[in-house]
Amino acid sequence: MKVIICDDDPNQRDSIGVCFTVSRSRYDLTEFELGADMLEYLSTSHADLVCLDLGLPDMDGLEVLRQFRKTSGAPAIIVSGNNSKESVVRAFAVGADDYITKPFAPMELMVRVGAVTRRAMGTKSKQTTFTAPGVMLDFNLRIAIVDGDQVTLNINEWDLLQSLMQQPGAVIAYSRLKQKAWGDTVVTDAAVHMAIRRLHKKLNCSNRKVRLIRDHRGIGYSLAIP
């Protein structure tokens, strides 16, 4: 597995590198001090995993991540000394797969590495995230980022979204949505409509050029293809 470590602190790069080298798995490590150098390298190469600091001397780490996400869906773990909620939320909104704060235990880092790489392998056969302009949904972590802010969805809302996401663009019948979100079809259509209205509000659908969740009256709903 090819791992990129981007951090301006050589001691921190060494600490992260040691975590990988003592692991039983084989990792090919490449280190960078500057975000621009990492992006230049990746313009002609690839990475299976990126460990990225936010406080880089030449570029904002979030901008590095944003540029990285334009060409790669590989897992990215933010390794930062900033543990503020705002920093964490912004990182996930841009496309981070995980966020770990310094200082950290080597075992914690490697557990997180294992988790994000397993999820990445799983998404090859089953999608677990949905992204659209201003919206990022992670169904494994149950994290919803809308316009840079984390919003809370209840279980039924997550289940409804996942049913729609499994077939983007296709109309999912009310009966199927009921079965997925409530476990039976005894629930009224009104309950589905109310849940979808809450989702419209939480996902700020009224302020988007493309309506994310579309109503097919008398039939069901569909999720717009981003």
Side-chain angles (χ1 to χ4, degrees):
M1 176 181 290
K2 196 167 188 177
V3 178
I4 301 294
I5 302 171
C6 188
D7 195 304
D8 65 319
D9 184 345
N11 293 326
Q12 189 63 53
R13 294 198 301 272
D14 288 344
S15 296
I16 296 173
V18 167
C19 294
F20 285 98
T21 55
V22 299
S23 171
R24 294 181 179 178
S25 301
R26 289 187 176 182
Y27 295 98
D28 178 11
L29 304 180
T30 304
E31 299 181 9
F32 294 98
E33 179 181 355
L34 303 178
D37 289 344
M38 182 192 103
L39 293 174
E40 182 179 1
Y41 172 81
L42 290 175
S43 66
T44 57
S45 187
H46 80 283
D48 298 309
L49 173 71
V50 169
C51 292
L52 176 65
D53 182 26
L54 294 181
L56 300 174
D58 65 325
M59 295 178 66
D60 180 358
L62 289 179
E63 180 59 27
V64 175
L65 178 60
R66 189 176 290 109
Q67 294 296 324
F68 174 66
R69 276 286 168 257
K70 290 181 179 180
T71 58
S72 177
I77 299 178
I78 298 300
V79 184
S80 174
N82 186 346
N83 64 354
S84 69
K85 179 180 177 181
E86 292 75 15
S87 179
V88 175
V89 168
R90 289 177 63 201
F92 278 113
V94 172
D97 293 277
D98 204 346
Y99 193 111
I100 186 170
T101 55
K102 308 172 185 176
F104 54 84
M107 181 62 72
E108 180 184 3
L109 176 62
M110 297 315 295
V111 166
R112 290 172 181 266
V113 166
V116 298
T117 53
R118 283 194 300 273
R119 289 203 303 270
M121 292 175 64
T123 56
K124 294 178 181 178
S125 59
K126 183 178 180 180
Q127 186 177 357
T128 59
T129 62
F130 174 85
T131 58
V135 177
M136 191 284 289
L137 305 173
D138 187 314
F139 290 88
N140 277 338
L141 299 177
R142 292 291 173 100
I143 291 175
I145 306 296
V146 179
D147 298 325
D149 295 320
Q150 185 168 349
V151 299
T152 301
L153 306 181
N154 64 34
I155 294 175
N156 291 340
E157 290 163 355
W158 276 114
D159 288 342
L160 285 171
L161 282 173
Q162 192 158 27
S163 294
L164 295 170
M165 187 195 73
Q166 288 172 353
Q167 293 181 268
V171 180
I172 309 301
Y174 297 139
S175 59
R176 184 171 167 188
L177 293 173
K178 295 175 191 177
Q179 186 65 46
K180 176 65 177 179
W182 286 276
D184 60 54
T185 57
V186 177
V187 177
T188 64
D189 290 352
V192 179
H193 298 324
M194 290 177 63
I196 294 294
R197 280 199 293 271
R198 290 196 303 270
L199 284 171
H200 274 298
K201 184 176 181 180
K202 290 181 179 182
L203 299 181
N204 198 19
C205 291
S206 61
N207 291 325
R208 305 198 183 284
K209 293 181 179 179
V210 177
R211 195 168 184 82
L212 291 179
I213 303 175
R214 297 174 180 175
D215 182 6
H216 302 266
R217 191 174 300 276
I219 303 172
Y221 291 93
S222 67
L223 188 67
I225 300 176

